[in-house]
Amino acid sequence: MALAFLTVVYEAGLDRQGETAMNTCPCGSGNDYAACCEPFINGKKPAATAEQLMRARYAAHVKVEVDFLYDSTHPDYREGYDHKGTRAWAENSEWHGLEILETVQGGEEDEEGEVVFVARFRDEKGLRSHHERAQFKRKGKRWLFTEGIMIKSPPLNVNKVGRNDPCSCGSGRKYKKCCGR
């Protein structure tokens, strides 16, 4: 039964997360993987921009191409790289999408760039997001990742309603006599 289901899923063009179009690039561009991030990952051509490299690095996590993740890291920033841990994270996560929030420089004529992104995934702890400000430098004609700075979510601001304040439901009554009971 399970084998028949997997065959149907495969023939319908669904991936293991039930998403359509197996050949669509996981980077979120909407393009075919073979024409989008795959040429960067397999070394057939270099990424022209820092954002292209960022998208390819996300796709490499999804496809568990950890050699590309290492190779696309600037040599001056490889110390402490955990190949085994990166592979385990990539293999044991269910990837749910990449959102590019901002790109600063990182164009075809620039030497440095920055890409702010959120990568969403599910691991054993549940649904999570990785929000980072990624730094890139060009070495020769190749863009390389240098470091990532985690961005913490801003704290939630909750306006506490006092007992004698008007009720937030709009009734016109005091909170303590309405919803605060």
Side-chain angles (χ1 to χ4, degrees), residues 152-166:
K152 294 182 180 180
S153 299
L156 293 175
N157 288 331
V158 178
N159 293 329
K160 187 174 179 180
V161 179
R163 291 180 36 80
N164 289 318
D165 289 339

Side-chain angles (χ1 to χ4, degrees), residues 37-59:
C37 291
E38 186 178 37
F40 308 136
I41 292 171
N42 65 22
K44 289 188 177 168
K45 71 178 194 177
T49 67
E51 183 176 329
Q52 279 183 338
L53 181 59
M54 181 62 247
R55 289 182 177 280
R57 287 177 60 85
Y58 174 81

Side-chain angles (χ1 to χ4, degrees), residues 161-175:
V161 179
R163 291 180 36 80
N164 289 318
D165 289 339
C167 190
S168 58
C169 76
S171 67
R173 296 166 55 194
K174 288 186 178 182
Y175 177 74

Side-chain angles (χ1 to χ4, degrees), residues 87-102:
R87 176 176 297 283
W89 182 40
E91 287 176 339
N92 297 320
S93 295
E94 187 177 291
W95 299 93
H96 290 276
L98 173 69
E99 182 181 0
I100 303 292
L101 302 175
E102 180 183 15

